[in-house]
Amino acid sequence: MQRLYQARDRIEAQLVLDFLDRHRLEAVILGDYLSGAAGGLPVDIGPTLWVVEDDELERGRTLLGRFQADALLPSDPATWHCAGCGESVDGGFDLCWNCGQARSETGS
């Protein structure tokens, strides 16, 4: 096993683990409950992701880089109006919830 990444908290560690799993890279989280002992342990006690197969470490680093880059992408929270039915749709959606028309077809 090779150490890949020390996460800030259990939630981030699980998100990264799920991302790696979707790309069929076997990894585990170790130390995910150590934060409960904060104050009595060193500062760097965050959960750590480990790649199970040593020869997959480089691929794991590449995937981790993609995960981190995706997290920095701006979201599009602007509301848009469907050209098909006129419904107001939250910016995070690409399809109108009312009629199913794609956002790119709406022009706005």
Side-chain angles (χ1 to χ4, degrees):
M1 267 194 334
Q2 294 285 326
R3 181 179 175 187
L4 176 64
Y5 178 67
Q6 183 169 350
R8 290 183 304 269
D9 54 38
R10 293 178 61 209
I11 295 170
E12 181 190 23
Q14 189 62 54
L15 289 171
V16 174
L17 182 68
D18 291 345
F19 182 80
L20 296 174
D21 185 56
R22 281 194 308 270
H23 289 86
R24 305 216 185 274
L25 190 137
E26 188 177 1
V28 295
I29 299 172
L30 298 178
D32 57 342
Y33 293 103
L34 290 177
S35 61
L41 293 174
V43 177
D44 62 344
I45 57 171
T48 306
L49 284 118
W50 293 75
V51 174
V52 173
E53 298 295 328
D54 292 348
D55 59 341
E56 291 277 22
L57 180 61
E58 199 54 44
R59 189 166 80 91
R61 288 180 178 150
T62 301
L63 289 171
L64 177 62
R66 282 179 43 198
F67 176 85
Q68 291 172 327
D70 288 349
L72 296 175
L73 292 175
S75 61
D76 184 13
T79 300
W80 56 278
H81 295 281
C82 178
C85 67
E87 188 63 42
S88 178
V89 183
D90 288 336
F93 296 97
D94 290 330
L95 296 177
C96 174
W97 68 269
N98 189 42
C99 70
Q101 186 165 343
R103 179 180 195 169
S104 60
E105 297 172 19
T106 65
S108 62

